[in-house]
Amino acid sequence: MSEELQKTETMADEGKVKTFNVVFDVEGKAVGKMRNEIKGQMVSPVVDEAFEMATDEGAAHGGDMTAPPPLAYFCTGFVACLMTQIRAFSKRLRVPIGELTVKAHIEWEARVEGRDPYTSRPVAFRLDVDFDSDASFEDQKRLLDAAQKGCFVEATLANPIPVNHRLKIDGDFQDAD
């Protein structure tokens, strides 16, 4: 655990409130037919947690399926984020859990009109959570509620914010929204 997170834990235990930002910088490059190579780094609160990932699409999108599709990372990140918070908060809330399993059903609809590119919309997100715990339903629900609030992905879905886009034109980025 980083020093900043340890300080936050200590202050929270003392009843004080402290905030910290979680920040990632990510850059993707298009290579090959539909393959993307992504390099990223967490820059706060932990510095130098770098990662590399690749995505690709199947033949239907003109790709070679040399890596998982982009949505696979979103779905995996969502489930992993919730599972991480459940385990972390289980200790803090004193709700014992055994084996943890989360099964997700995540569904979108793609709509095609004539020759226009398709548009997408979310249809259903369902997460079935099994704590394998003898804790009461109320305690398990309290743990799940806390994990939902602590999961950055779920917080983003529950409280969407605008996504701003900029285009690089003549060497300068200009708002495109």
Side-chain angles (χ1 to χ4, degrees):
M1 183 182 302
S2 77
E3 188 176 313
E4 184 170 345
L5 286 175
Q6 286 175 336
K7 287 179 190 172
T8 301
E9 292 287 324
T10 301
M11 292 188 76
D13 291 341
E14 296 170 359
K16 297 178 182 173
V17 176
K18 178 176 177 170
T19 63
F20 61 93
N21 290 350
V22 176
V23 181
F24 284 83
D25 287 335
V26 180
E27 181 177 341
K29 295 275 186 187
V31 298
K33 295 178 187 174
M34 292 297 286
R35 185 178 170 96
N36 302 301
E37 293 183 354
I38 315 298
K39 291 183 180 183
Q41 176 177 342
M42 177 187 273
V43 296
S44 178
V46 179
V47 179
D48 293 330
E49 277 207 20
F51 56 90
E52 293 184 25
M53 298 179 184
T55 68
D56 201 353
E57 293 286 354
H61 256 332
D64 294 321
M65 202 59 182
T66 61
L71 282 176
Y73 288 106
F74 174 86
C75 296
T76 301
F78 186 15
V79 169
C81 185
L82 183 66
M83 292 179 74
T84 298
Q85 301 309 328
I86 288 169
R87 286 183 297 205
F89 295 161
S90 167
K91 294 172 186 140
R92 174 176 272 193
L93 297 176
R94 295 183 178 95
V95 178
I97 62 172
E99 222 174 278
L100 173 60
T101 304
V102 175
K103 293 183 179 178
H105 174 86
I106 301 174
E107 182 178 348
W108 290 270
E109 174 187 81
R111 179 184 171 119
V112 180
E113 290 189 43
R115 295 189 45 82
D116 290 341
Y118 62 81
T119 58
S120 62
R121 72 173 187 83
V123 173
F125 287 50
R126 183 187 67 239
L127 282 72
D128 294 331
V129 180
D130 181 0
F131 295 146
D132 188 29
S133 175
D134 291 330
S136 69
F137 172 79
E138 291 78 18
D139 281 346
Q140 289 188 44
K141 176 131 177 42
R142 185 169 53 93
L143 173 56
L144 180 59
D145 289 346
Q148 288 173 268
K149 292 175 186 169
C151 172
F152 291 93
V153 177
E154 191 152 345
T156 301
L157 293 170
N159 302 297
I161 63 168
V163 177
N164 300 307
H165 300 86
R166 301 183 317 165
L167 287 170
K168 191 171 189 178
I169 307 294
D170 298 325
D172 292 320
F173 283 98
Q174 298 178 23
D175 288 333
D177 295 320

